[in-house]
Amino acid sequence: MRLPELPDLPVRDHLDDVVATLAAHGTAVLVAPPGTGKTTLVPLALAAASQGRVVVAEPRRLATRAAAARMASLLGEQVGGTVGYSVRGDRKGSAATRIEVVTSGLLLRRLAADPELAGVTTVVLDECHERRLDADLLLALLLDARAGLRPDLRLLATSATVAATRLADVLGGAPVRSIEARTFPVDVTYAPPTRGERIEACVARAVRTLPADGDVLAFLPGVAEIRRTATALGGVDADVLPLHGRLSAAEQDRALTPGPRRRVVLSTAVAESSLTVPGVRAVVDAGLARVPRVDHRRGMAGLVTVRVSAAVAEQRAGRAGREAPGRAVRCWPAGEVLNRFPEPEIRTADLTRLALDLADWGTPDGTGLTWWDPPPEGPLAAGRSVLRALGAVDAGGAITARGRAMAGLGLHPRLARALLDGAPAAGTRVAAETVALLDDDTLGAGTDVDDVLRTLRSGTAPGTGRWKAEVRRLERLVARGKGRAGAAEVVALAHPERLARRRPGGGPVFLMAGGTAVELSAGDGLAAHEWLAVAVADRAPGAQHGRVRLAAAADQELAERVGAPLLAVADEIAWAEGDVRATRVHRLGAIVLDERLLRNPDPAAVRAALLDGLRSEGLGLLHWTPHARALRDRVATLHRVLGDRWPDVSDEALLTDPDRWWTGPLDRARRRSDLARVDAGQILRGLLDPSVAHRLDALAPERIEVPTGSRITLDWSGDQPVLAVRLQEVLGWTASPTVADGRLPVLLHLLSPAGRPAAVTADLASFWANGYPHVRAELRGRYPKHDWPADPLTATPSRGPRRRT
């Protein structure tokens, strides 16, 4: 293969060095910004320097087709000759093809089927900086193949911006070659949304403020935002063109080809580095991107909108300075701090598909592979659990024949299961149509799967051609089926844990079998159905419920058939709503299908429920007489003062070890009302060690006799026992009484004849000497019928008023 005259791009002068470096070391890293020619010129040079085939792995279908078309154009050929491409459902190539551009996912499938990659001399991993899940896994598997079957396989990792040192280490200490782009200055300004302004309106406002001296490239997070921004730009003097991976090839070419008028290209992240949009003089950046996230607790995975990293923001702005000085408008506050690099998908995404690929490779847990970032253990284990439930791997994690068939379909394992099992149940056509929709839920508007499918079949929906092509591909991959089940069954086969039943009350809120509540928009026709098979649901941060995005009407018979592994019958005995609730419950996951009261519930389970009630509401559920409460206070005081020979009778201690007191009437208790009849005082006395129980009244007496002979009750509820007594009844007492073998003085509340505290003291001798004269002076005039002797130590105590002498 001979190279033609190549365009004057920055990488052209470095091609010989890149080719020689890779030939000498077997691995290399090429760092070059967008627009330098690394994606198109380097593969041509590598093919010209070798006899075998060069495979270029791209992260996106759109970039795959565009790169192949550009290289073929440079050779003066049509795609399918020297340069070809392969994406899922579409391939152009021939026996003469020397350079093949493929998606990372497709190369993963090919590598699993042919680990030697027969006939391939070089693999170029393009745009590694995006840290896509497929690309990271592909890198690990290619390194494994190179370490064993193919030590001669050459690997070149290219990137627009990346931590090159770490990538070089992963490639075994590979040399790094860097190429600078020829760029022009870019004036960066900030125009954040005003209060309450949607990002689409903000982007449209920024576009309208730009001078009309060149094309505009605007970055938005998704297709829906692109459509709304296009609407907001109505009347602008320019051609407004979308650019994203869901467009037809012709529509994509319109955005990538200069036109007679000024253009405003509204693009997803695909134009950051994978593609070059010519003629751009200004960039408007929404600063947002869609990335995969999984919520393991709620069982929801999907795309969420996040702020871009600083590296991505720089790439986007740089697109304005490729051909001339340019402008970049950023739709976020100037002071906002961005993460340095994008978060690798392997840390945040659903790893079920990765787990299947690892099992197919023969390393279910991924050990032994060289990872840029290894998959987190928890999400990988969750993915393997899903695979076991689908029958894709056995108990030891090894792939099954069914799992191998699923891996070959090029679908997420859930969708692969839906296709394989849905074809016999619903018919091959319905299964393929439904799976093709679930694999690309941007195809139609609305939440009802059946309505969206009808629109797609009519050919009036955007993306119909792409959907029909995928349907044909899927139909070829499975055995013919003639079942009559509908799309809902196929949806349920993909996501049985998302079978959902409407909650009582008539509102549009449904409980999914996985335990997450989701709701439909007001007025949605699906709300009239009791059961749904939910295909897509997400949850906004802080929202009470998830939101149903795509679902099909179902019924209980379908739910029980498809969700059979989730069916369970259990006796549920628990403390609920203030009492023991004992029922036999039929469930589909978290959904209650039926429940009936149990007449003879398991006593051990009843006891556990009662204990839960006591823990949640306290031991106050028992019958507490004043005597019992006082007894508890007395024992608690002795435990605190004298130690562990006296039991700890706090709620926490008693409920931590209920076996030492759960006897007698408690064994017969079945409900809250039974607890209310259990004498707490009897329980407390049963806790006392016989060796000390007989001393209870001596150490912590209920009453104390005062000088008048009255026996007055002590209050033990505080840190110190309190004796509330009329001052005249303790005349002649020379010292305060004590309890607990003299270790704890009693706190005296000395009352006036009206029963009000006149003094509080734990040192009676000191009170008589110092405090009593003041009390006597204040109160003897107020209560002249009572004794107020000058010498309280020798006076005779009295219970009531008497004539003074």
Side-chain angles (χ1 to χ4, degrees):
M1 171 182 163
R2 296 183 60 183
L3 284 178
E5 182 68 25
L6 297 176
D8 184 20
L9 294 172
V11 78
R12 188 178 68 175
D13 295 338
H14 300 268
L15 290 177
D16 291 343
D17 179 43
V18 172
V19 171
T21 299
L22 187 61
H25 296 274
T27 61
V29 177
L30 176 60
V31 179
T36 54
K38 69 179 185 304
T39 299
T40 52
L41 302 193
V42 170
L44 290 171
L46 292 172
S50 67
Q51 297 301 313
R53 193 152 41 95
V54 175
V55 175
V56 182
E58 291 287 343
R60 297 178 175 87
R61 298 184 195 183
L62 195 161
T64 300
R65 293 192 184 97
R70 177 58 176 160
M71 283 188 277
S73 173
L74 291 174
L75 295 176
E77 300 179 6
Q78 296 293 316
V79 175
T82 304
V83 182
Y85 72 80
S86 293
V87 299
R88 194 177 74 187
D90 185 16
R91 180 178 183 273
K92 287 189 177 181
S94 64
T97 298
R98 295 285 316 285
I99 302 170
E100 185 183 19
V101 191
V102 301
T103 57
S104 301
L106 188 142
L107 187 52
L108 276 174
R109 306 280 82 72
R110 189 177 293 177
L111 186 61
D114 177 18
E116 294 188 22
L117 288 181
V120 177
T121 58
T122 305
V123 175
V124 179
L125 300 173
D126 201 20
E127 313 299 354
C128 288
H129 64 278
E130 293 192 11
R131 302 304 311 275
R132 304 275 288 238
L133 184 59
D134 278 353
D136 276 16
L137 175 60
L138 180 60
L139 173 61
L141 297 189
L142 285 170
L143 288 172
D144 195 46
R146 191 171 186 276
L149 296 172
R150 287 293 311 274
D152 61 320
L153 183 66
R154 297 172 183 174
L155 298 181
L156 175 65
T158 76
S159 170
T161 170
V162 75
T165 303
R166 171 59 184 154
L167 182 55
D169 291 343
V170 172
L171 287 167
V176 178
R177 295 292 182 266
S178 298
I179 298 173
E180 298 296 328
R182 295 193 290 267
T183 60
F184 295 88
V186 175
D187 179 31
V188 177
T189 58
Y190 292 83
T194 59
R195 185 179 182 88
E197 186 179 34
R198 294 182 63 126
I199 191 62
E200 300 93 329
C202 179
V203 169
R205 173 167 55 84
V207 169
R208 291 180 183 277
T209 62
L210 292 168
D213 58 355
D215 292 346
V216 178
L217 175 60
F219 287 98
L220 291 139
V223 175
E225 289 83 0
I226 286 176
R227 290 172 180 163
R228 289 193 289 267
T229 304
T231 300
L233 286 171
V236 70
D237 186 18
D239 292 331
V240 179
L241 304 172
L243 179 59
H244 53 80
R246 304 300 186 185
L247 297 172
S248 66
E251 290 172 313
Q252 293 170 0
D253 288 343
R254 285 188 63 202
L256 297 174
T257 305
R261 300 180 67 215
R262 180 179 180 238
R263 301 180 308 147
V264 176
V265 178
L266 307 179
S267 176
T268 59
V270 69
E272 286 172 5
S273 54
S274 302
L275 299 171
T276 297
V277 181
V280 173
R281 296 292 185 273
V283 165
V284 177
D285 187 1
L288 302 171
R290 289 269 158 73
V291 297
R293 291 285 189 272
V294 59
D295 185 338
H296 291 288
R297 185 167 67 87
R298 295 182 174 86
M300 290 192 293
L303 297 176
V304 299
T305 304
V306 300
R307 178 68 75 205
V308 298
S309 67
V312 169
E314 284 301 309
Q315 283 182 63
R316 292 181 174 185
R319 287 300 194 178
R322 293 288 174 253
E323 300 176 3
R327 301 177 180 83
V329 181
R330 292 174 170 171
C331 297
W332 65 87
E336 184 173 341
V337 178
L338 307 183
N339 292 330
R340 188 179 177 192
F341 293 110
E343 184 80 359
E345 283 187 6
I346 202 168
R347 296 181 188 169
T348 61
D350 172 23
L351 298 187
T352 305
R353 190 167 185 167
L354 179 138
L356 181 59
D357 289 332
L358 290 177
D360 197 19
W361 191 253
T363 57
D365 56 1
T367 56
L369 297 179
T370 301
W371 294 96
W372 193 337
D373 285 289
E377 291 184 8
L380 182 59
R384 294 170 66 186
S385 177
V386 172
L387 294 180
R388 284 192 296 272
L390 297 178
V393 299
D394 61 22
I399 194 166
T400 62
R402 175 179 170 85
R404 207 170 295 282
M406 294 167 66
L409 295 175
L411 297 166
H412 188 283
R414 289 182 177 276
L415 298 183
R417 184 268 178 116
L419 182 65
L420 293 175
D421 294 350
T428 305
R429 171 56 64 90
V430 170
E433 289 178 334
T434 307
V435 169
L437 171 60
L438 300 188
D439 197 31
D440 181 5
D441 55 31
T442 65
L443 282 168
T447 57
D448 191 324
V449 168
D450 290 304
D451 287 347
V452 175
L453 287 176
R454 278 191 289 271
T455 304
L456 288 168
R457 290 168 187 148
S458 72
T460 59
T464 297
R466 184 177 70 255
W467 172 77
K468 288 184 176 180
E470 178 67 357
V471 170
R472 290 192 295 270
R473 183 186 80 87
L474 296 178
E475 284 186 290
R476 292 193 297 268
L477 294 176
V478 293
R480 307 301 297 178
K482 298 181 180 180
R484 295 183 177 275
E489 182 137 350
V490 183
V491 174
L493 285 167
H495 299 286
E497 77 288 352
R498 295 184 189 171
L499 285 161
R501 188 180 195 180
R502 191 176 62 242
R503 279 183 167 174
V509 179
F510 290 72
L511 177 66
M512 297 197 295
T516 299
V518 294
E519 63 181 331
L520 293 161
S521 299
D524 194 307
L526 287 174
H529 297 274
E530 184 179 1
W531 286 86
L532 296 178
V534 177
V536 181
D538 56 27
R539 179 176 175 273
Q544 182 180 5
H545 302 131
R547 173 72 64 179
V548 176
R549 300 298 181 190
L550 189 64
D555 55 41
Q556 186 165 332
E557 188 275 330
L558 181 153
E560 292 188 23
R561 183 176 67 254
V562 178
L566 302 175
L567 291 173
V569 179
D571 290 347
E572 297 186 1
I573 303 162
W575 186 267
E577 298 178 357
D579 210 338
V580 175
R581 182 174 176 80
T583 54
R584 177 158 294 168
V585 182
H586 294 243
R587 289 183 180 274
L588 178 75
I591 300 170
V592 175
L593 301 175
D594 179 60
E595 60 181 332
R596 299 180 182 179
L597 292 177
L598 280 174
R599 293 184 177 181
N600 298 300
D602 176 37
V606 171
R607 169 184 149 148
L610 289 170
L611 282 169
D612 285 343
L614 290 169
R615 291 187 180 103
S616 64
E617 300 191 31
L619 289 173
L621 294 176
L622 304 177
H623 179 56
W624 290 91
T625 63
H627 172 79
R629 295 187 186 281
L631 175 61
R632 187 185 199 187
D633 293 338
R634 293 160 65 199
V635 174
T637 300
L638 293 179
H639 172 76
R640 177 167 46 82
V641 176
L642 300 181
D644 290 339
R645 294 193 67 187
W646 295 90
D648 185 347
V649 291
S650 65
D651 276 21
E652 180 181 2
L654 291 175
L655 293 170
T656 298
D657 184 15
D659 289 341
R660 59 194 178 109
W661 53 272
W662 195 278
T663 59
L666 285 170
D667 282 331
R668 298 186 294 274
R670 292 292 179 267
R671 56 187 60 86
R672 183 189 188 106
S673 59
D674 294 336
L675 293 178
R677 289 190 287 269
V678 175
D679 182 4
Q682 181 181 346
I683 292 175
L684 294 174
R685 289 194 176 274
L687 289 170
L688 300 180
D689 189 322
S691 64
V692 297
H694 66 283
R695 299 199 62 208
L696 173 64
D697 290 337
L699 295 173
E702 280 191 275
R703 298 170 179 271
I704 284 185
E705 185 174 330
V706 296
T708 60
S710 298
R711 294 181 57 77
I712 299 176
T713 300
L714 284 168
D715 178 2
W716 292 85
S717 60
D719 292 336
Q720 200 170 352
V722 173
L723 180 67
V725 58
R726 295 182 187 275
L727 185 148
Q728 281 75 16
E729 291 205 57
V730 298
L731 293 172
W733 245 0
T734 58
S736 296
T738 61
V739 293
D741 275 342
R743 299 189 189 185
L744 187 64
V746 173
L747 187 65
L748 295 173
H749 284 203
L750 301 176
L751 307 179
S752 70
R756 299 185 183 92
V760 176
T761 182
D763 184 352
L764 191 57
S766 175
F767 170 72
W768 291 139
N770 303 303
Y772 175 70
H774 299 287
V775 172
R776 177 174 180 266
E778 180 181 349
L779 297 183
R780 66 176 179 171
R782 191 181 305 172
Y783 302 103
K785 296 182 179 180
H786 294 263
D787 286 334
W788 301 98
D791 182 5
L793 296 177
T794 59
T796 301
S798 62
R799 289 194 178 106
R802 66 187 183 191
R803 190 185 302 263
R804 294 184 57 188
T805 60

